[in-house]
Amino acid sequence: MSEKLEQFVREVEAALAGPSDEARILEHVRRAMGELVAADDWLAPEMAVPHPQFYQQYLLHRDSQARFSVVSFVWGPGQQTPVHDHTVWGVIGMLRGSEVAQSYLRTDQGMQAEGPPQHLHAGQVALVSPTVGDIHRVSNAHHDRVSISIHVYGADIGNRRRHVFDLATGAAKEFVSGYANVRGAVL
Ligand code: FE
């Protein structure tokens, strides 16, 4: 593991060692993430490989007690997620390229866009959680190149049961994302 990633993992551990106040944890981790994505010079090439069809989520580190996980999220040109939630806190740092996130609210009339789309550029950091807003759709802002963001979540996110939402009806469907580089995700 690169020294920068190791340093980041130590910072998240330090954040979790304090009181379990989400706002405090998010602020600590947001600062550490800002430092991690300040320079694009540490991600292992095998954790940066796009797939021609699907966005990829590579596990970079899983806490031994599964309190948190760190992934690289690799976007091929034009790729996007479905509308989804996380069910835990998450901090997203843009390492390479840029992405666009649209937040949604679940209503009786289906999913309603909440606010304008947010652009995240290299070096910038964004937050998600059931408290600060947990439902969104994310896209590679570029149609001609790869973008990569680094995510940390307050759980083993690849093995977490969460939801995708039908845009028109708001119907929720359970999903488990897994990791592109880990076989047979254990539930
Ligand atoms: Fe997300």
Side-chain angles (χ1 to χ4, degrees):
M1 196 192 295
S2 82
E3 207 170 296
K4 285 187 179 181
L5 183 56
E6 262 177 47
Q7 175 62 31
F8 176 74
V9 165
R10 280 195 292 269
E11 283 294 332
V12 180
E13 288 169 348
L16 294 176
S20 60
D21 163 11
E22 185 187 274
R24 189 194 55 79
I25 292 169
L26 280 176
E27 193 41 49
H28 191 146
V29 176
R30 177 211 280 271
R31 227 180 312 123
M33 180 62 85
E35 284 168 28
L36 183 63
V37 298
D40 180 10
D41 60 1
W42 57 269
L43 184 64
E46 63 270 25
M47 302 297 184
V49 180
H51 183 279
Q53 205 176 348
F54 308 107
Y55 56 87
Q56 299 286 281
Q57 182 171 262
Y58 296 99
L59 180 64
L60 302 181
H61 175 79
R62 178 164 42 197
D63 175 58
S64 59
Q65 298 161 66
R67 295 174 303 167
F68 68 96
S69 54
V70 186
V71 305
S72 61
F73 211 99
V74 181
W75 301 101
Q79 290 174 351
Q80 68 170 3
T81 68
V83 180
H84 65 276
D85 68 4
H86 313 85
T87 74
V88 290
W89 64 261
V91 177
I92 298 139
M94 204 71 218
L95 184 70
R96 194 175 301 173
S98 54
E99 64 187 34
V100 183
Q102 175 64 59
S103 293
Y104 286 92
L105 282 175
R106 197 176 177 201
T107 76
D108 292 345
Q109 286 85 43
M111 305 307 290
Q112 238 166 50
E114 190 189 23
Q118 303 290 326
H119 286 251
L120 202 63
H121 299 287
Q124 293 182 330
V125 179
L127 309 175
V128 293
S129 91
T131 329
V132 303
D134 199 37
I135 302 179
H136 65 181
R137 159 177 269 171
V138 187
S139 320
N140 187 351
H142 299 287
H143 290 268
D144 57 355
R145 62 184 168 110
V146 169
S147 290
I148 300 177
S149 48
I150 306 301
H151 303 201
V152 57
Y153 297 98
D156 178 7
I157 196 68
N159 285 309
R160 182 106 181 157
R161 288 178 196 278
R162 45 202 181 111
H163 309 92
V164 293
F165 301 92
D166 184 87
L167 203 51
T169 66
K173 203 173 83 185
E174 205 171 74
F175 87 108
V176 176
S177 66
Y179 299 107
N181 58 335
V182 179
R183 274 168 178 274
V186 180
L187 289 174

